[in-house]
Each structure stands twice: as C-alpha cells, then as structure tokens.
Amino acid sequence: MNSLQITYFLALCKYKNFTETANRLYVSQPAVSRQIRMLEEEFNVQLFQREYKKNFLTEEGKILQKTLEEIVTSLQKAQDEMYRKKFPHKHSFKIAILQGLEIADILRPAIQRFMQKYPDTDVTLECYSHEKMNIMLRLNELDMAITLNDEIKNDSLLKSIHLFRSNFAFTVHESHPLFHVPKFTPELLKKQQIFTTSIGTKDFEAFLNALCSNYSINEEQLLSVSNMDEIITLLNSGFGIAVLTEQKRFSGGHYRQFPLKSFSADIACAWHYTNINPARALLLDDILKPLIPPKII
C-alpha cells in the first residue's frame, strides 16, 4: 500500500463514483480504478460493491476506511510533532489564495500582525491557479484555501465556510480605447479580445457560454490564460480587456472596471476534512472574520 492508493481509496469512499473521484483529483478514471484494484489484490478482498451507478463500501472496505482515516490523522499529528521538535516554539500553517482575489493583498499585513500576536505560529501565504489549488486542496497539502465556492461546494472531502460575494467586471487598461468611453455597452465588445483566468474551474465551459450568450461574444474573441501575471501583462499592452472580479486596484488610476450584470461568485474558505491544524480556528477568528463585512459573513 502506498500514499497514492490511500488518497484514491479515501476519496472514492466519499464520492462513491470512480469518474467523480478522478475528476475531483484531476487524474484519469483508469488510474483510480487501477490503484483500487491493486489494493483489493493486496488484501485479497472486495472493497466496493457497485449499486445503481454508485460504489458502496463492503464490510471489509468499511474496516479499511476507518483504519486509514485513523492512520492519516496519526500521520498528521506525527508531522506536527516532528515540526515542533525541529522548531520547538513554532506551528506551521499554509494558506492558499486563488489568483486574482484581492483579499490576498489584505491578508498579508493581517498575517504579519497575527504572527506578532502568536509568535509560535509560522503562517505562509501563496497564490495558486484554479487547477493547482483544486489538486492541492484535495490532496490535503493546504491547511486552508480561499477560493470560489463553486469549486468546493458539495464536496465531501472538504469542510468550508462562506466568506463573501464578489462581482465580475470587464477590466480595461488606459492604453485601450474602451478606457475613455463615457458609458459601457455590449456593442462595444464586438471584435474585442477578451481575457479570462478561469482555466481549471469546474464550471469553466458554462461560465464562458453564459458570457457569450449574455454579451453576444464569439468564442473566437475569448482567450483563457493561466495566471494573473500574464493577464495583467496583456491588459497593460492594450491588446484586449479582461473578465476579473471587482477590485480596488482595478477601479481607478490606470484601470477602469465595468460591472457584468448577473455575474458574481461566492468566495469560501475550505480545508480537507482530515486536516486538524489547531491554528485554523485562531486564524479564522483573528484574520478572516474581522476583514469581512458583518452582513456577508
């Protein structure tokens, strides 16, 4: 048995479907099937029983699930203990922010104040693309992730809390002709290059289809890029406009933002259901909640 088999097995226990498990873990369905088959061969038992397109644990499978969940928890405790032995007065906590969310700029000074208040907790903050964050979150490589709620809702591998709602807007740099228009209209989008950063999201195709339908945009006009650095470079060049969340850094100065009606996203904080890092409760109370307006917590 290896760590990959444990990850795939526990995920299948939660999702009860090979295809869904593969999609959630961003691997192929045969890869999941192969690892489960190897586990069954190793223990010489059947772990899952297929019923009505779902896979339910056999009695042997339930025993293995309980055991492996306890092992995963024990390993996390051991990892924390080893870290504290190497750094006797430190706990580590890794936060990931979805690229493009303005909250990352707000969190950095707040985390510095938090570490001054709790010097025994070492917090790191990193920004990731949709795809990378989805993978790391489900492999329990993050203690907490701030991402789109649609990416993590109804996912039995994750626990989450809702933070706030963010609206989308067409974002234009001063080097682009649309920067100077007195009023934005859908007709102005004709023949414009439009950048998006939704690669790796579950509803990527649905989002693009809705965008095309609501604003009479052709698919040929859309260019999906992988990260914020690339999209800002394209924006600043004046080669096109971008679909981004409404943010202070894009609402004045060298940029303008034109809201997209009926286009918004709920932002949530999520973590793997087996993640037991004790620093999370402190971080949620001392950092996240005070930064979110009370009406949207």
Side-chain angles (χ1 to χ4, degrees), residues 39-273:
L39 266 180
E40 291 181 326
E41 291 174 352
E42 179 177 348
F43 291 105
N44 194 29
V45 295
Q46 182 178 353
L47 298 173
F48 293 93
Q49 181 68 46
R50 184 174 176 82
E51 296 179 16
Y52 304 108
K53 298 183 180 180
K54 288 189 176 182
N55 295 273
F56 296 93
L57 286 165
T58 61
E59 291 303 314
E60 293 82 1
K62 291 177 182 178
I63 294 172
L64 185 60
Q65 179 191 28
K66 182 176 183 295
T67 301
L68 291 182
E69 287 182 343
E70 291 173 351
I71 289 174
V72 169
T73 300
S74 297
L75 286 174
Q76 286 188 344
K77 290 180 178 178
Q79 185 178 26
D80 184 59
E81 186 175 343
M82 288 186 287
Y83 180 89
R84 283 188 279 111
K85 186 173 182 180
K86 186 175 181 180
F87 305 100
H89 307 293
K90 287 282 187 182
H91 289 275
S92 65
F93 194 88
K94 187 173 183 179
I95 304 176
I97 307 291
L98 184 64
Q99 287 179 347
L101 292 184
E102 190 176 28
I103 195 172
D105 297 327
I106 302 174
L107 281 182
R108 289 187 179 93
I111 287 175
Q112 291 178 351
R113 293 192 297 270
F114 177 88
M115 292 174 66
Q116 291 173 353
K117 184 178 180 181
Y118 301 99
D120 61 338
T121 302
D122 184 17
V123 183
T124 59
L125 175 65
E126 299 182 16
C127 294
Y128 294 118
S129 65
H130 290 280
E131 186 169 6
K132 186 170 183 180
M133 179 179 287
N134 283 338
I135 294 172
M136 294 180 71
L137 190 55
R138 287 162 179 81
L139 293 181
N140 198 19
E141 295 177 357
L142 301 171
D143 293 305
M144 190 163 69
I146 300 177
T147 184
L148 303 183
N149 186 63
D150 284 344
E151 294 300 290
I152 53 87
K153 68 179 181 182
N154 302 323
D155 191 322
S156 53
L157 280 185
L158 306 176
K159 294 183 178 180
S160 65
I161 59 172
H162 178 265
L163 295 179
F164 59 93
R165 177 176 287 270
S166 183
N167 296 318
F168 285 98
F170 288 116
T171 307
V172 186
H173 186 258
E174 62 182 356
S175 60
H176 193 281
L178 288 184
F179 181 85
H180 303 285
V181 299
K183 182 180 180 181
F184 182 86
T185 62
E187 289 74 20
L188 294 173
L189 289 174
K190 292 181 178 179
K191 298 182 180 179
Q192 296 293 337
Q193 182 75 73
I194 301 171
F195 313 125
T196 69
T197 58
S198 299
I199 294 177
T201 62
K202 296 175 187 174
D203 296 324
F204 178 53
E205 293 298 331
F207 178 82
L208 294 185
N209 291 335
L211 196 62
C212 292
S213 176
N214 282 269
Y215 289 91
S216 300
I217 298 171
N218 296 320
E219 292 184 8
E220 293 75 16
Q221 293 178 248
L222 298 173
L223 175 64
S224 297
V225 297
S226 59
N227 57 68
M228 279 299 294
D229 290 336
E230 184 180 353
I231 207 167
I232 290 176
T233 298
L234 291 169
L235 268 180
N236 294 349
S237 69
F239 289 157
I241 63 179
V243 177
L244 299 171
T245 55
E246 289 185 320
Q247 301 175 38
K248 289 182 180 179
R249 59 174 167 168
F250 294 128
S251 61
H254 301 293
Y255 299 92
R256 285 184 68 186
Q257 287 199 302
F258 303 95
L260 280 76
K261 295 181 180 179
S262 303
F263 279 82
S264 62
D266 287 316
I267 309 301
C269 170
W271 58 92
H272 196 277
Y273 80 102

